[in-house]
Amino acid sequence: MDKLVKPSLGQSCLIVLKRDLRLALRSQSDLANPLIFFVMVATLFPLGVTPDKEFLAEIATGIIWVAALLATLLSLDAMFRSDYDDGSLEQLLLSPYPLYLLVLAKVFSHWVVSGLLLTILFPVLAVILFLPWEGYLAMLASLLLGTPLLSLIGAIGAALTVGLKKGGVLLSLLILPLYVPVLIFGTGAVGAAINGMPFSAHLLWLGVFLVMAVTLAPFAIAAALRVSIAG
């Protein structure tokens, strides 16, 4: 009788990543809702506020970043929900592999189907809102650095509220204040680029925050999951 081959740590993380991506692709409504929300916000502003090109260009940076933030928030509740409901989250906690890396793989899969897709879609909003061309590069770089931060920070709140039936409101209250620095430095980088000023300092701060979040957030997520499951 053949012995079962135990997957390595890297293979286990890859299995978690592939599984989450496959589940996200199967649940097309969960995948599409944040993206539709992201685009709808941009299209509603010209209709509800003003179609004036100059005014929209001034507020385009803030609209795009706030839309990305809220769209990410919309997708967070589902990050651990299905795993909690079918019991696979409990199996993940009992796994012999470091939970730090397993939850990091789950957060990365969430970023791929939310933050990365939002980043790819941002030129559509930029055109609708007349974002100046000078801000495109800074917006792309700030979103690439900022959206993983949104997923990492949001995962902490999602882990804390996964055991609650209606944890969406509590999740928003917990996470939104922590998103403020990302919003400030993200919009600051684009504003500086549009005004012809150096924007690398803003991106460096986002990079520092991202390194800190990758280092520390998985520990907080793992602890929050253990508290939620035990409670």
Side-chain angles (χ1 to χ4, degrees), residues 15 25 46 59 65 74 83 95 103 127 140 151 158-159 179 185 188:
I15 290 171
L25 292 175
I59 63 173
W65 256 105
L74 191 66
D83 292 344
S95 166
V103 296
V127 170
L140 175 63
S151 292
Y179 278 174
F185 286 104

Side-chain angles (χ1 to χ4, degrees), residues 3-14:
K3 291 183 178 179
L4 290 176
V5 179
K6 185 179 178 181
S8 66
L9 175 59
Q11 288 174 328
S12 300
C13 293
L14 195 59

Side-chain angles (χ1 to χ4, degrees), residues 133-155:
W133 287 105
E134 294 84 358
Y136 273 62
L137 179 60
M139 178 63 81
L140 175 63
S142 65
L143 286 173
L144 285 174
L145 290 171
T147 49
L149 265 171
L150 300 181
S151 292
L152 284 162
I153 297 171

Side-chain angles (χ1 to χ4, degrees), residues 10-30:
Q11 288 174 328
S12 300
C13 293
L14 195 59
I15 290 171
V16 172
L17 178 63
K18 286 182 177 179
R19 174 184 175 274
D20 280 16
L21 290 175
R22 195 178 302 118
L23 288 175
L25 292 175
R26 284 179 183 173
S27 180
Q28 296 183 357
S29 60
D30 290 343

Side-chain angles (χ1 to χ4, degrees), residues 103-126:
V103 296
L104 197 58
K106 292 186 73 65
V107 173
F108 182 72
S109 71
H110 175 267
W111 175 73
V112 170
V113 299
S114 61
L116 182 58
L117 293 181
L118 295 179
T119 303
I120 293 171
L121 274 178
F122 104 83
V124 177
L125 276 70

Side-chain angles (χ1 to χ4, degrees), residues 46-65:
L47 296 174
V49 180
T50 174
D52 182 70
K53 179 180 177 180
E54 293 184 358
F55 181 78
L56 288 174
E58 288 182 5
I59 63 173
T61 305
I63 295 173
I64 293 173
W65 256 105

Side-chain angles (χ1 to χ4, degrees), residues 62-220:
I63 295 173
I64 293 173
W65 256 105
V66 170
L69 188 152
L70 295 177
T72 302
L73 192 64
L74 191 66
S75 65
L76 284 175
D77 190 51
M79 186 184 293
F80 300 111
R81 181 68 61 188
S82 61
D83 292 344
Y84 177 80
D85 291 338
D86 63 18
S88 57
L89 185 58
E90 191 171 352
Q91 297 300 317
L92 193 72
L93 297 183
L94 295 174
S95 166
Y97 302 105
L99 191 56
Y100 176 98
L101 295 175
L102 297 180
V103 296
L104 197 58
K106 292 186 73 65
V107 173
F108 182 72
S109 71
H110 175 267
W111 175 73
V112 170
V113 299
S114 61
L116 182 58
L117 293 181
L118 295 179
T119 303
I120 293 171
L121 274 178
F122 104 83
V124 177
L125 276 70
V127 170
I128 294 173
L129 297 170
F130 304 104
L131 179 73
W133 287 105
E134 294 84 358
Y136 273 62
L137 179 60
M139 178 63 81
L140 175 63
S142 65
L143 286 173
L144 285 174
L145 290 171
T147 49
L149 265 171
L150 300 181
S151 292
L152 284 162
I153 297 171
I156 301 173
L160 282 172
T161 58
V162 69
L164 305 177
K165 289 185 178 178
K166 295 182 179 179
V169 176
L170 181 59
L171 174 62
S172 303
L173 294 175
L174 288 172
I175 295 306
L176 278 177
L178 301 178
Y179 278 174
V180 172
V182 184
L183 182 65
I184 291 173
F185 286 104
T187 55
V190 184
I194 292 173
N195 292 316
M197 299 170 63
F199 55 90
S200 58
H202 298 84
L203 297 180
L204 284 174
W205 273 111
L206 285 176
V208 169
F209 290 149
L210 181 57
V211 171
M212 291 175 62
V214 170
T215 306
L216 300 175
F219 289 112

